[in-house]
């Protein structure tokens, strides 16, 4: 790449992002342009996705407007399914090497939303993460118990069961959603979990990272060995104690602290 | 996507990866095919990159053979530069909000290789990570002190200096490489670092995560507040103590434990 083009690229990238941008050009200048402008958006959105999936982006509230089409294509095309399948395969590769003691304490933790179940039908109807989160509308959707399984996660779930892992579901959903959640899981094909942990009254308002770390600590206190932990949010995975291996599923639609 | 195509996709993904694959088809069957076979490889390689950058892949030794072309295109085209620019921008956004105390203890840690300096010229001549690592050839390259800066990292480095951060360089290179490393950094445009920490005799053989965590603990012991940490390897970033914010740069060419 010649230096000018390189600088232009840097400029256009820095322009869209944030109040503390290093280099500034007007973002509007490339929004309604020709093919190369769209190509620029795609490049930007690929990098935005990188920063989101590596947790470099930190807290973010909505998918950037210029990336809505990108996220839609990613989620509804082959890429999301492919990334999920890769995660499941990585997980199963690791799980196959774990020695199962047979005392019922070899555990694997799963988050639920965007990990076991897909809320894509809801998000497809709500701008793929570009709209402000509407808790009432989302809870109505969740209560329908109609979210499909992520196919690769269902294969992994059953594979881990077959290996003898105890499957513990740890979700940010609250106890009032227990029945709808269990019903949805069963309808989607998940069964025979060891435990379904939802936020109790004391957990409401805690950041997910704090709540989930605390629950993992309790599980270890009960003697569970947490070999694997699968989640689409870094707040599912980070915080002590961590699992032996953590597996980040893709989710470019929303961020939970 | 229709269910059959979806299953086929899952199958092809699971086939290439690992000894514990859930579903098996012959990987060879799609290696010398038509356009759609190549499209399948690209989809696979995009997902492989996802799993590498999120640390889902765990330890890996070489770029998969079918992804060499993909990695070459990623590294030498616009995407790598774009991803690096996004990371720098994320970093600077965070840094701009940090209150600098003025006691000289507000620190930012940088890894060197594939973080400040790019060894792409070396890797381009050695299969983009698909060859077994050749320590002698690599050290010869490093001793040339000829690695260019990653442009976005140089901008970030100078931006952080301007904000008043103390910049601490923490590398897996050894003390015998101190002169060549300092020379290379200066030639590439980096200057006025607070400290350049390389592996001493006691550190050789330690996993990078252990060595780097230990050095961060020492720095905190000296009173440094580690606000940010930039590295291309998860072993640069994980392990206690962690920085307030960690920034993962892209690197699909090699993995360091």
């Amino acid at each position: 790449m010649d230096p000018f083009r390189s600088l232009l690229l840097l400029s256009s990238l820095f322009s869209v992002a944030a109040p503390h941008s290093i280099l500034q050009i007007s973002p509007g200048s490339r929004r309604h342009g020709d093919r190369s402008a769209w190509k620029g958006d795609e490049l930007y959105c690929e990098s935005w996705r990188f920063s989101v999936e590596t947790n470099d982006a930190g807290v973010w509230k909505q998918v950037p407007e210029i990336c809505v089409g990108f996220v839609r294509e990613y989620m509804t095309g082959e890429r999301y399914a492919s990334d999920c399948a890769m995660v499941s395969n990585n997980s199963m590769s690791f799980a196959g090497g774990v020695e199962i003691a047979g005392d019922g304490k070899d555990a694997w933790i799963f988050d639920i939303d965007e990990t076991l179940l897909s809320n894509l039908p809801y998000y497809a109807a709500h701008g793929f993460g570009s709209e402000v989160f509407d808790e009432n509308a989302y809870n109505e959707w969740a209560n329908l118990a109609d979210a499909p399984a992520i196919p690769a996660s269902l294969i992994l779930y059953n594979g881990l069961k077959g290996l003898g892992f105890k499957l513990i579901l740890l979700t940010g959903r609250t106890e009032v959603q227990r029945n709808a959640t269990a019903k949805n899981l069963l309808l989607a094909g998940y069964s025979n979990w060891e435990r379904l942990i939802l936020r109790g009254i004391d957990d409401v308002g805690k950041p997910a990272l704090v709540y989930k770390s605390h629950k993992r600590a309790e599980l270890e206190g009960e003697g569970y060995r947490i070999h694997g932990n699968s989640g689409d949010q870094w707040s599912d995975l980070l915080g002590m104690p961590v699992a032996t291996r953590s597996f980040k599923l893709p989710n470019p639609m929303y961020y939970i602290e």
Side-chain angles (χ1 to χ4, degrees), chain A:
Chain A
M1 199 180 341
D2 69 69
F4 175 74
R5 198 160 164 223
S6 172
L7 186 64
L8 203 71
L9 174 65
L10 281 172
S11 306
S12 63
L13 284 164
F14 284 124
S15 69
V16 185
H20 305 286
S21 293
I22 298 168
L23 298 169
Q24 294 281 356
I25 62 160
S26 157
S29 67
R30 61 186 191 78
R31 294 283 304 286
H32 305 289
D34 57 8
R35 166 78 191 141
S36 67
W38 278 103
K39 192 159 178 293
D41 284 353
E42 192 181 328
L43 188 64
Y44 174 85
C45 296
E46 286 283 2
S47 293
W48 173 78
R49 193 174 80 91
F50 173 86
S51 76
V52 158
E53 296 297 7
T54 54
N55 213 21
D56 286 347
V59 178
W60 55 279
K61 300 290 181 194
Q62 287 158 257
V63 170
E65 197 196 325
I66 60 165
C67 297
V68 176
F70 173 85
V71 171
R72 182 183 57 235
E73 273 187 42
Y74 171 81
M75 291 298 301
T76 59
E78 291 174 330
R79 293 185 65 187
Y80 177 64
S82 170
D83 286 354
C84 287
M86 184 67 78
V87 182
S88 288
N89 202 40
N90 288 149
S91 308
M92 200 63 191
S93 293
F94 163 67
V98 173
E99 201 162 315
I100 303 293
D103 61 354
K105 295 295 187 187
D106 291 295
W108 194 289
I109 296 179
F110 280 102
D111 168 56
I112 293 180
D113 293 297
E114 269 55 65
T115 298
L116 294 180
L117 298 177
S118 171
N119 297 296
L120 186 54
Y122 173 84
Y123 282 97
H126 290 83
F128 292 94
S130 62
E131 296 177 8
V132 178
F133 183 66
D134 179 342
E135 195 173 339
N136 290 334
Y138 183 80
N139 286 340
E140 269 179 43
W141 153 256
N143 286 332
L144 295 176
D146 206 22
I150 293 175
S153 295
L154 183 55
I155 293 172
L156 173 63
Y157 183 97
N158 288 325
L160 292 174
K161 254 197 310 190
L163 289 174
F165 286 91
K166 297 297 176 186
L167 305 182
I168 294 171
L169 316 189
L170 176 52
T171 175
R173 294 184 179 199
T174 57
E175 278 291 350
V176 295
Q177 295 169 298
R178 176 177 290 277
N179 289 347
T181 302
K183 180 183 168 192
N184 197 154
L185 287 163
L186 289 166
L187 286 172
Y190 297 99
S191 60
N192 291 99
W193 49 83
E194 171 84 352
R195 204 176 296 186
L196 169 58
I197 305 174
L198 305 98
R199 281 182 195 258
I201 290 172
D202 293 348
D203 303 312
V204 175
K206 283 184 191 167
L209 191 144
V210 174
Y211 153 66
K212 293 193 168 184
S213 301
H214 183 67
K215 292 297 176 187
R216 285 197 300 278
E218 283 182 2
L219 289 164
E220 288 199 350
E222 291 179 46
Y224 285 104
R225 294 174 295 276
I226 307 173
H227 297 288
N229 184 9
S230 303
D232 64 296
Q233 300 289 325
W234 285 100
S235 55
D236 296 328
L237 308 174
L238 299 175
M240 301 303 285
V242 294
T244 305
R245 283 280 297 276
S246 297
F247 295 93
K248 170 73 175 75
L249 282 87
N251 186 355
M253 300 191 299
Y254 60 86
Y255 176 89
I256 295 174
E257 270 187 278

